[in-house]
Amino acid sequence: MIKKHTIYKKDNWNMMTIEVQGRKIVLREISDEWGEETHDFLSRPALMQWASDRFPKERFETEAEWEEIMNAFREV
């Protein structure tokens, strides 16, 4: 059984989804700048480490914005 989570979706060209396929976690990031990138993780801690590196708190205007994204990752 595959569980699908949407981290964010701004439009058809800027979105991030995660599929949990048994023990494997597949993250797809689509952006108008870079196209589609896929990342595979074997554990949630690895996913969370990637997320904190990819979305540093300093890049967000408010802490609430950052918290929202991180909470979406925690719910996976």
Side-chain angles (χ1 to χ4, degrees):
M1 186 169 116
I2 296 175
K3 285 186 186 175
K4 203 169 195 176
H5 302 269
T6 301
I7 301 301
Y8 65 81
K9 180 172 178 153
K10 296 179 180 155
D11 54 36
N12 286 339
W13 302 109
N14 294 285
M15 68 177 84
M16 185 178 289
T17 60
I18 294 178
E19 290 178 5
V20 179
Q21 304 170 350
R23 294 178 53 93
K24 185 175 161 187
I25 300 169
V26 179
L27 181 141
R28 284 188 178 74
E29 185 174 16
I30 302 169
S31 75
D32 53 7
E33 269 183 77
W34 304 104
E36 183 173 335
E37 281 188 83
T38 303
H39 305 277
D40 294 338
F41 300 96
L42 298 177
S43 69
R44 282 182 171 75
L47 170 67
M48 291 308 294
Q49 180 61 51
W50 178 88
S52 62
D53 293 344
R54 170 70 174 79
F55 297 104
K57 202 182 266 193
E58 306 80 54
R59 281 189 46 213
F60 291 87
E61 289 180 25
T62 66
E63 190 165 331
E65 248 184 313
W66 179 81
E67 249 339 295
E68 188 179 324
I69 290 237
M70 293 320 255
N71 283 336
F73 278 105
R74 287 185 199 106
E75 289 173 15
V76 172

